[in-house]
Amino acid sequence: MLAGRETECARLDQLIAEAQLGRSAVLLLRGEPGIGKSALLQYAAERAAGCRVLRAIGAEWEMELPFAGLHQLLGGLLDGRGQLPAPQRDAVATAFGFSSGPQPDRFLIGLAVLSLLSSAAEQRPLVCLVDDVQWLDRSSAQVLAFVARRLAAESVVLLFAERDSSTLEELAGLPEVRLAGLRHASARELLASVVAAPVDERVLARILAETRGNPLALLELSREFSAEGPAGGFGLPGAGSLPGRIEASFRRRVLELPTETRRLLLLAAADPTGESGLLVRASEQTRVAIDHLAPAEADGLLERGERVTFRHPLLRSAIYRAARPDERRAAHGALAAATDPEFDPDRRAWHRAHAIAVPDEGIALELEQSAERARARGGLAAAAAFLERSAALTPDPTRRAHLALEAAAGKHLAGASQDALTLLAAAAAGPLDALDRARLKLLHGEIVDLGRTPDALPLLLEAARQLEPLDVSLSRDAYLTALRAASAAGRVGPGMLEVARAALAAPRPPDEPRAVDLLVDGLAVRFTAGYAAGAPALRRALTALREEGERNTVSVRWPWLARRVAPELFADDVWSYFATRSVQLAREAGALGMLPIALNHLAHLRCAEGNLDAASALLDEADGIAVATGTEPLAIGRLSLAGYRGIEGEALAVFEQT
C-alpha cells in the first residue's frame, strides 16, 4: 500500500476486481507533478494478477505525431487487426502505417480500438495505463476518450493520469480522482522510509512544510542529501545535483530580484531549521532589513510565518549553489553570530566552521565537542560530519590525521563506506602513531569485508596482531571481526583455522573478561576443537552478552557474531533477543552500515518462525538502505526466505546469483 493513498489504492483494487468479474471501468487520476499519479498506475499494474497490462506514456516530442500514444498502447494487439471488419481494418492499417490511403476516419479507428480491446479481454482482463495524458497527441486522446465512453462489459480497466494544469477537453466528464498532498503523518512516514538516520526535528518540520505533502518532492529531497542521510540536519544544501532545468529556472527568477533580497534568500537557504527569528537576527548582522524579503514573498518563492518555507525544497539548493564561496561564508558567519551558543552550540559551531576559509584550531575543537554530543544522542552521521569538518580546519597535521580516522569510523557505521575510504586515505597520508595505524588497518578490513571479498581477512588478521601489544581489548575485537569474516568465507576464504589459532595464542585482557572476550575464546575453540568442545564456553558468552545488551552504553556492533552462534546452540530465546535488540540499537543510533546486517538476521529468524511476510518486509527495508548508501544488498535473508517459501524457480535464481 502506498503511504497515505489507502483510499485510492482500495478504489483501484475494486476496479480490477470488477474487471475480473466481466465489468469495465474508467478512471482519471489528476494532480500536480510528483503527487503520485504514476505510482498509483504502477500499483494497479502490480495488483493486476491474471490480467494483461497495456501501457502508454505521453511525450512532449511526440505530440505532433498522429496516433503515437495509441500505437504505444496497442502495439501488442495489432496482430489481431485481421479479424476486424474491413472498414475498421483499413482505417487501422492507414493510421499505423501498415498501408497507404486517405486520412482515416476517427470514428472507424475508435470502433476498431474498442473491438481490439474487447477481443483481447475475452482471453483475460485488460488493464490499460495511460500516463502523462497532457502530452498525448490529439488523435490518440480523441480515440481513447471515444473508447472510454463506450466500455461496458468488456473486462477492461482504462486508467489515465493527467496533470492538474492540463486542458485536454477530450477527457472532460470522465470519472476522476483529484490527488492532494499527503497528510502530515503519511508524509512523515514516507520521509522516514528514505531517511533512516536520526534528523533534527526542526529540519524535519521544515522539509515537511516545504514539500507540502508532495511524495516526489520528499523523495527528491532525500536524494539531495549525501548517502548517509542529511547528517542529522547538518548537511549543506547543494551537496547533491539538481535537475538542470529546475535549477536554471529557479536561478533565473532569483537573479531578477534586488541584491538585498538575494542576500536574505541566501541566509534562509543556508539555515536548514527555517526559524523566522533566527533569520531576522541574522539579517540584522548583515545590516539588511528583513523587509527586503518582500519581493521574494510577492513572487511566491517563499513564505515567512513562524517558519520560513521555500516554494519548493530544491529552491534552497539552487540558491545556495548559485552563490559565490565568499557569499556563502558571509551567510554562515551571520547565522553563527545570530545563533544562541547556550541553546544551540552545535549549529553555531557548524555555521562558524563554514564561515571561514583557513584553519582554526578553536573552531576545530568546538566541532569535536559537537561530535561527542551528536554521538551521545545517536547521531552517527552528524558526528562524522562534525569530525570531517574538524579535520579540515585543524592546523596540526597529526590531529588532522587522527580526526580523519575518527570521521572515517563514523562514516562507516553511518553507511557511507565510500566516504570512509576517502577519509582513510587522508588519514594514511598524515603522521599517525602505531595504535592509529593499526586501527586504520582494522577499519579498512571491516569496510572491505562488507563487500565480501577475500582481501578483508588478511587485513583484519594483521590488524589484530598489530594491536596485541598496543590495546589488548581492541585486539580481541579485531580477532572477533576476523573470525566472522573467516567463517563467512568458509572454504573459499584463506582459512578459518589460522585465525582461530591466532586468537587462542593472543594475549588476554588482565581484568575480568568481557562478553566479547568469552565469545572469541568460545569461537576459537569451536573452530579448532569442534562443536562439543566449544559449546560450554559459547553458552557462557551468550549469557554475558544478553546481560550486556540491557546496558544503555552497549555498542551498536553488539551482539557481533553471537546472532549466528545462538541458533547453533539451539538457544532460541537468546537468538530472538539478540536479533530484535540489535535492530533496535542500529535504528536508534542511525547506524545505516550495521542496520541492513541486523535486519537480515532478524528476517532469518522470522523465516524460522514461519512469519514470511514479516521477513520479506524486513529484507525490503534492508535492500532500500543498501541502495541509499550505495552498498551491495546482503544475501543471507533472501536465501532463507527463498528456501522457506519453497518456490523452486525463484529459490534457484537467488542461490545461483549468490
Side-chain angles (χ1 to χ4, degrees):
M1 193 69 70
L2 298 173
R5 299 296 185 207
E6 292 80 5
T7 301
E8 293 84 356
C9 288
R11 184 163 181 181
L12 293 177
D13 287 340
Q14 181 183 1
L15 296 182
I16 293 169
E18 289 180 355
Q20 291 168 331
L21 296 174
R23 293 187 290 272
S24 293
V26 177
L27 186 63
L28 174 61
L29 302 172
R30 261 189 212 283
E32 66 182 30
I35 204 67
K37 304 182 296 295
S38 299
L40 283 167
L41 292 185
Q42 180 60 27
Y43 173 85
E46 293 171 357
R47 300 288 286 183
C51 302
R52 182 174 183 177
V53 178
L54 306 178
R55 298 175 186 262
I57 302 176
E60 287 180 277
W61 53 89
E62 291 189 352
M63 291 180 70
E64 304 304 320
L65 300 178
F67 304 111
L70 204 58
H71 187 267
Q72 280 189 65
L73 188 69
L74 301 178
L77 303 183
L78 292 176
D79 288 343
R81 66 184 186 278
Q83 306 301 316
L84 296 172
Q88 297 179 26
R89 184 174 64 245
D90 294 342
V92 166
T94 304
F96 294 119
F98 295 110
S99 64
S100 59
Q103 183 175 350
D105 185 284
R106 300 284 170 86
F107 178 74
L108 289 174
I109 295 175
L111 289 176
V113 172
L114 188 59
S115 299
L116 287 170
L117 294 175
S118 299
S119 177
E122 290 177 0
Q123 301 172 24
R124 52 179 170 151
L126 290 182
V127 176
C128 303
L129 310 176
V130 187
D131 205 353
D132 284 332
V133 169
Q134 71 279 354
W135 289 327
L136 272 185
D137 61 279
R138 192 69 178 268
S139 305
S140 295
Q142 289 175 343
V143 171
L144 288 172
F146 173 91
V147 171
R149 291 184 171 87
R150 285 160 179 80
L151 289 171
E154 294 85 1
S155 294
V156 176
V157 176
L158 187 51
L159 300 177
F160 298 102
E162 182 184 29
R163 288 190 179 178
D164 251 341
S165 57
S166 174
T167 56
L168 201 63
E169 58 190 36
E170 284 83 359
L171 301 183
L174 293 178
E176 68 175 55
V177 170
R178 289 186 176 271
L179 300 177
L182 300 179
R183 293 182 177 179
H184 181 82
S186 298
R188 191 180 180 94
E189 176 190 348
L190 179 60
L191 185 62
S193 73
V194 291
V195 180
V199 181
D200 189 311
E201 280 297 321
R202 295 169 295 171
V203 177
L204 282 179
R206 183 172 191 173
I207 293 171
L208 293 169
E210 288 183 347
T211 53
R212 295 171 174 83
N214 185 296
L216 183 60
L218 286 162
L219 297 174
E220 280 180 339
L221 193 62
S222 72
R223 284 190 287 271
E224 177 68 4
F225 294 121
S226 52
E228 71 271 27
F234 291 90
L236 290 175
S241 60
L242 294 176
R245 287 190 301 172
I246 295 177
E247 184 174 17
S249 171
F250 284 149
R251 185 179 292 144
R252 282 194 301 271
R253 292 178 64 178
V254 170
L255 288 176
E256 293 172 357
L257 296 170
T259 302
E260 293 82 0
T261 305
R262 295 202 304 270
R263 290 180 67 185
L264 293 179
L265 283 175
L266 179 56
L267 280 178
D271 167 39
T273 67
E275 293 180 7
S276 286
L278 177 61
L279 181 60
V280 171
R281 296 193 300 274
S283 70
E284 292 169 353
Q285 293 291 327
T286 63
R287 299 184 180 180
V288 177
I290 196 67
D291 294 342
H292 284 291
L293 261 186
E297 293 179 85
D299 195 25
L301 291 176
L302 86 169
E303 297 176 4
R304 187 164 61 92
E306 291 185 9
R307 190 175 302 279
V308 178
T309 56
F310 283 94
R311 176 180 179 177
H312 191 287
L314 298 182
L315 175 57
R316 287 184 61 231
S317 297
I319 292 169
Y320 193 85
R321 285 158 58 92
R324 299 191 311 269
D326 61 311
E327 292 174 329
R328 294 181 196 171
R329 287 195 292 270
H332 284 293
L335 288 165
T339 301
D340 187 334
E342 296 295 325
F343 173 71
D344 205 345
D346 298 336
R347 203 164 294 282
R348 179 176 179 271
W350 183 251
H351 284 307
R352 290 190 71 201
H354 288 85
I356 60 173
V358 294
D360 185 304
E361 186 63 35
I363 295 178
L365 288 171
E366 280 188 46
L367 290 169
E368 268 195 273
Q369 294 165 0
S370 292
E372 285 300 316
R373 287 190 290 266
R375 193 182 288 115
R377 60 177 180 261
L380 285 174
F386 282 125
L387 289 170
E388 183 178 17
R389 187 62 180 160
S390 180
L393 291 181
T394 181
D396 183 341
T398 301
R399 271 180 42 76
R400 187 183 311 126
H402 177 77
L403 287 169
L405 177 60
E406 295 294 332
K411 292 276 189 181
H412 170 52
L413 287 176
S417 294
Q418 283 304 121
D419 291 346
L421 288 173
T422 301
L423 286 163
L424 280 185
L432 291 173
D433 61 23
L435 178 58
D436 274 350
R437 289 222 166 267
R439 289 181 60 228
L440 187 149
K441 188 162 290 182
L442 173 58
L443 181 56
H444 189 193
E446 290 174 351
I447 295 171
V448 172
D449 187 37
L450 282 179
R452 273 88 66 198
T453 71
D455 300 331
L457 189 54
L459 287 169
L460 294 168
L461 186 53
E462 186 177 352
R465 285 170 169 154
Q466 288 180 3
L467 285 165
E468 287 179 10
L470 303 170
D471 187 324
V472 174
S473 294
L474 188 55
S475 172
R476 303 294 284 171
D477 294 345
Y479 273 118
L480 181 62
T481 306
L483 285 166
R484 194 220 69 80
S487 65
R491 286 171 295 178
V492 299
M496 211 156 41
L497 203 55
E498 179 187 1
V499 182
R501 286 171 176 164
L504 283 174
R508 304 296 196 276
D511 303 322
E512 185 74 18
R514 302 168 300 160
V516 65
D517 299 319
L518 296 174
L519 185 59
V520 171
D521 287 340
L523 287 169
V525 173
R526 162 78 175 85
F527 292 143
T528 54
Y531 179 93
L538 287 173
R539 287 197 184 95
R540 289 194 297 274
L542 294 186
T543 300
L545 280 164
R546 180 158 193 170
E547 293 173 357
E548 188 176 80
E550 295 299 327
R551 300 175 195 162
N552 293 330
T553 56
V554 63
S555 165
V556 73
R557 297 174 182 274
W558 177 97
W560 301 286
L561 197 51
R563 284 173 299 208
R564 285 170 51 194
V565 173
E568 189 174 84
L569 294 177
F570 301 95
D572 292 348
D573 58 333
V574 180
W575 181 23
S576 178
Y577 176 76
F578 285 167
T580 53
R581 176 74 170 132
S582 59
V583 168
Q584 179 190 5
L585 286 171
R587 284 197 204 284
E588 290 174 351
L592 301 189
M594 301 293 107
L595 184 53
I597 300 171
L599 289 167
N600 268 264
H601 278 288
L602 183 55
H604 184 55
L605 172 66
R606 294 289 176 257
C607 285
E609 294 170 343
N611 194 344
L612 304 188
D613 288 343
S616 181
L618 291 166
L619 294 173
D620 287 344
E621 181 183 356
D623 290 350
I625 294 171
V627 170
T629 55
T631 56
E632 192 73 22
L634 295 168
I636 175 177
R638 292 288 175 201
L639 287 170
S640 300
L641 184 60
Y644 275 95
R645 276 184 167 156
I647 304 173
E648 186 174 1
E650 292 181 13
L652 289 175
V654 175
F655 298 159
E656 299 216 358
Q657 181 182 3
T658 306

